[in-house]
Amino acid sequence: MLSEQTIRIIKSTVPVLETAGVEITKRFYQMMFTSHPELLNIFNHANQKQGRQQTALANAVYAAAVHIDQLPAILPVVKQIAHKHRSLGVKPEHYPIVGEHLLKAIKDVLGEAATPEILQAWKEAYGVIAGVFIQVEEEMYSEAEHQPGGWEGFRAFRVQLKEKESEVITSFYLVPVDGGPVADFQPGQYVSIKLEIPGEAYTHIRQYSLSDAPHNPYYRISVKREDGADSRPAGKVSAYLHEQVKEGDTVWLSAPAGDFVLDEQDTRPVVLISGGVGLTPMVSMLNTLVQRTPERPVTFIHAAVNGTVHALKQQVLETAGKHPQVSAYFCYEQPGEEDRAAQAYHKEGYIDQQWLQTVVPDAAKAVFYFCGPLAFMSVVNHSLRKMGVAESDIHYEFFGPAGSLESR
């Protein structure tokens, strides 16, 4: 337990963390990777270059400071991060390294303002917070290994089938090389895939949502090739998977993880909303719903630039055709002539509140899950709140480090 004095000192640093948090975390990663370059085998290099990892860590540190006197309040965030850590292979021995360089970064950025009392308080607080992470992750590691079909660390999988779904998205059907069963998962979860790319100094690990229902003898991931846009670097892993990995090749996976999951005990109507490749966990949820609770009403809404980049479209249409309780709607930002001729979409432009209200007139009686680009999710979240949907009925997933759909 932390003393009242330590709690008071930590809370006194909240204003500076709000303004200088990202600067501290940027410095932290620079210092840590300089001293421990082997950790680059774990961290996503693209997220580092884009600043997403630094921002996510700054938000987590800020939240910890705000709630330092009531740490159970941040347990949901701890579990979300712990899922990522377990899937990447973060271990207890990594936490002292992180703590050492986080304190160094605080001192380096704040200078004389980082008094010995502040540094000591943060050292004590970090020890308590790290202990919580280690305990939660230990339970997750044990569960992943000892569940039926589970395993420790990374397991070899063979690409049984590689299937092009659109101009930018390809699905990979993966089966265990050892011939054993695969661990079950909850619709919405992801797996981490580890690759050693020729010419790259470090291992690359990426997380991809599972895009089919559980209880199959395979895992399916549907990967978008990231060519780079809007100052974002091109995706080395996605390009390698698309261009180099072939049927019969071996990749390495950690067991399924993630807390963005479908509540299968809920019987209310469910609305699944996605943008771009954010449809992958939504399709997993859709396929699960029609198999396990075929009477539950489902509204599936997907937004894409146009039909050429719309993946898994035919599968969704076939599912809706077979199951009367499923309604599917497509929104295309820039529909092409073929899209218009086929009338396979229901709205031109962007998803907005006015259109959502026509598609889901009883929104307050439904539960919502959505995933996609950050700006897309912000609009959906804002629209749902305006439509009277309770916060507890709104669930969403960030691809990559957690961001925020609300201003602080």
Side-chain angles (χ1 to χ4, degrees):
M1 296 293 293
L2 296 172
S3 68
E4 288 297 324
Q5 181 180 6
T6 297
I7 290 172
R8 178 180 56 77
I9 294 172
I10 293 296
K11 280 189 169 291
S12 75
T13 65
V14 167
V16 72
L17 290 175
E18 190 168 16
T19 58
V22 174
E23 185 181 358
I24 290 171
T25 54
K26 283 182 178 179
R27 185 66 181 130
F28 156 73
Y29 281 115
Q30 291 171 353
M31 298 172 76
M32 185 174 70
F33 289 144
T34 298
S35 299
H36 294 273
E38 73 278 4
L39 294 180
L40 288 167
N41 288 304
I42 296 177
F43 285 85
N44 186 315
H45 305 178
N47 288 335
Q48 290 289 324
K49 289 180 180 179
Q50 295 174 59
R52 297 182 65 192
Q53 193 72 58
Q54 294 90 331
T55 300
L57 178 58
N59 289 339
V61 172
Y62 174 85
V66 170
H67 300 288
I68 195 66
D69 56 343
Q70 44 181 333
L71 288 178
I74 66 169
L75 193 57
V77 176
V78 169
K79 289 184 175 179
Q80 182 183 63
I81 297 172
H83 273 286
K84 298 272 189 183
H85 285 179
R86 199 278 294 159
S87 74
L88 292 169
V90 173
K91 296 296 180 66
E93 56 265 29
H94 293 134
Y95 280 92
I97 297 172
V98 171
E100 175 190 353
H101 291 89
L102 184 59
L103 289 175
K104 286 182 178 179
I106 291 173
K107 183 177 182 180
D108 191 61
V109 171
L110 300 187
E112 293 182 357
T115 64
E117 291 78 16
I118 286 177
L119 293 175
Q120 180 60 33
W122 265 107
K123 182 178 180 179
E124 293 176 16
Y126 176 80
V128 170
I129 295 169
V132 173
F133 271 100
I134 290 171
Q135 180 179 355
V136 171
E137 289 163 16
E138 182 180 7
E139 294 172 358
M140 290 182 176
Y141 275 110
S142 178
E143 181 181 353
E145 180 181 359
H146 296 109
Q147 65 181 313
W151 67 92
E152 179 184 6
F154 287 83
R155 181 182 179 187
F157 278 70
R158 184 179 73 256
V159 180
Q160 184 180 59
L161 176 66
K162 181 178 179 181
E163 189 167 47
K164 185 175 181 179
E165 305 287 6
S166 76
E167 291 301 314
V168 295
I169 295 176
T170 293
S171 287
F172 297 81
Y173 291 74
L174 309 170
V175 297
V177 171
D178 59 24
V182 297
D184 197 10
F185 65 92
Q186 295 176 271
Q189 290 191 306
Y190 55 81
V191 291
S192 284
I193 184 169
K194 180 169 69 172
L195 297 172
E196 292 185 3
I197 300 176
E200 291 290 316
Y202 300 101
T203 296
H204 288 268
I205 302 176
R206 295 291 185 274
Q207 281 129 2
Y208 294 107
S209 294
L210 293 157
S211 61
D212 205 348
H215 302 312
N216 287 307
Y218 60 82
Y219 290 144
R220 184 177 75 178
I221 59 173
S222 301
V223 180
K224 179 186 177 186
R225 186 184 66 244
E226 298 290 352
D227 294 321
D230 301 325
S231 75
R232 290 177 292 133
K236 291 181 179 179
V237 172
S238 67
Y240 185 77
L241 286 168
H242 274 253
E243 299 167 9
Q244 302 299 325
V245 174
K246 301 176 177 61
E247 292 179 2
D249 287 352
T250 298
V251 296
W252 294 82
L253 302 184
S254 61
D259 63 346
F260 174 67
V261 296
L262 177 69
D263 181 359
E264 297 185 59
Q265 304 304 312
D266 197 333
T267 59
R268 292 175 298 166
V270 59
V271 183
L272 310 174
I273 307 176
S274 55
V277 76
L279 92 166
T280 52
M282 302 296 105
V283 171
S284 177
M285 292 182 183
L286 173 65
N287 291 351
T288 303
L289 285 162
V290 297
Q291 289 178 17
R292 297 182 181 176
T293 53
E295 71 286 348
R296 188 175 179 186
V298 182
T299 302
F300 188 97
I301 302 170
H302 181 62
V305 175
N306 53 49
T308 66
V309 296
H310 183 174
L312 303 170
K313 170 184 170 182
Q314 196 57 39
Q315 293 183 32
V316 172
L317 287 175
E318 290 176 0
T319 299
K322 294 176 182 177
H323 301 273
Q325 85 283 9
V326 176
S327 301
Y329 299 89
F330 304 139
C331 176
Y332 289 165
E333 177 186 346
Q334 300 171 3
E337 292 183 9
E338 291 185 7
D339 297 323
R340 292 191 175 92
Q343 288 295 299
Y345 71 100
H346 302 81
K347 183 183 188 303
E348 180 172 349
Y350 299 96
I351 291 177
D352 54 33
Q353 179 185 338
Q354 183 178 3
W355 183 70
L356 278 175
Q357 286 175 320
T358 66
V359 175
V360 193
D362 294 324
K365 299 179 181 179
V367 59
F368 291 78
Y369 297 83
F370 58 92
C371 185
L374 182 58
F376 167 86
M377 293 205 299
S378 294
V379 169
V380 171
N381 183 59
H382 180 75
S383 298
L384 296 181
R385 299 299 292 274
K386 287 285 188 178
M387 291 163 62
V389 181
E391 184 177 0
S392 60
D393 293 330
I394 297 175
H395 310 278
Y396 50 86
E397 170 84 319
F398 292 99
F399 279 172
S404 175
L405 302 187
E406 306 280 358
S407 58
R408 240 186 217 164

